[in-house]
Amino acid sequence: MRSRERKLQLFLDLFEPGPATTVVDVGVTNAPFGGGSSDNFFEALYPWPGQITGVGHTELDRFAAAFPDVHAVHADGRELPFADGSFDVGFSNAVVEHVAGGREGQRRFVHELCRVARRVFVTTPNRWFPLEVHTLLPFVHWLPPGPRGRLVPFDDVLDPLTRKELSALFPYSVRVINTGMTLIAVGPE
């Protein structure tokens, strides 16, 4: 949770949002916050939840009940149902590494976020950090997909990125902040 709180503080410091700043959070889950879960921490801790549109690829009935002020949208992050520049800021925390379709799928995801938001804040685990951050298993994320899939209990993709790989996903220059465990892309630069 401390890592998530630091990310939120960095977001607030860099973007200086106010009560009128619109934010799209792509990658919300169908879960409340708390009770041991740090899912959807942004919606739980952001000062103006009524300005957030949360996008998730699963049904969002529990999410909507937990965050009634947030507009919930069920959509694929690679095909967002919003007009260009609809939001002031796009936020996505530790989602891009789970996007299906390899680097091209990840690129589509990032380009869509950049299309609908004027500025973006995208985080992903750092591939070169020795622990896989979801499981805290050492080096497992460096294994090829087959063996990795047998060790990491995810039903989806897990493909963490390097600084260079993350930067290459964007249609414009971004600043990549390396916190050790996490890479944070902020743009446009």
Side-chain angles (χ1 to χ4, degrees):
M1 190 58 204
R2 282 189 308 238
S3 170
R4 286 169 169 77
E5 289 170 343
R6 285 192 301 268
K7 287 178 205 174
L8 177 61
Q9 190 57 57
L10 180 62
F11 175 87
L12 295 172
D13 292 345
L14 291 172
F15 292 106
E16 300 178 340
T21 304
T22 57
V23 180
V24 61
D25 180 1
V26 180
V28 301
T29 65
N30 193 27
F33 174 79
S37 170
S38 60
D39 286 356
N40 305 313
F41 75 94
F42 187 79
E43 286 70 20
L45 302 177
Y46 187 69
W48 304 283
Q51 293 300 99
I52 301 171
T53 296
V55 178
H57 75 282
T58 62
E59 294 303 321
L60 297 172
D61 53 324
R62 289 183 295 175
F63 174 86
F67 305 103
D69 293 337
V70 175
H71 179 67
V73 175
H74 175 232
D76 184 326
R78 296 168 296 181
E79 296 180 33
L80 295 171
F82 310 113
D84 295 359
S86 295
F87 301 93
D88 297 315
V89 183
F91 180 91
S92 185
N93 180 61
V95 176
V96 70
E97 72 274 11
H98 297 287
V99 174
R103 290 290 179 262
E104 184 52 36
Q106 292 173 334
R107 186 174 293 104
R108 281 181 50 213
F109 177 87
V110 169
H111 278 234
E112 273 296 278
L113 186 62
C114 293
R115 180 184 66 77
V116 303
R118 293 186 254 318
R119 299 178 294 162
V120 297
F121 186 95
V122 177
T123 80
T124 189
N126 182 352
R127 178 187 301 259
W128 299 126
F129 190 72
L131 295 178
E132 192 287 310
V133 300
H134 300 86
T135 62
L136 301 181
L137 293 172
F139 314 115
V140 69
H141 54 298
W142 295 348
L143 295 172
R148 180 176 60 216
R150 290 189 289 278
L151 294 171
V152 179
F154 289 112
D155 293 331
D156 61 350
V157 176
L158 177 62
D159 191 7
L161 302 160
T162 66
R163 171 185 285 244
K164 184 176 178 181
E165 290 167 337
L166 179 60
S167 293
L169 298 177
F170 287 84
Y172 47 65
S173 292
V174 293
R175 178 172 74 155
V176 176
I177 300 164
N178 183 345
T179 68
M181 179 172 71
T182 303
L183 298 174
I184 303 165
V186 178
E189 191 170 52

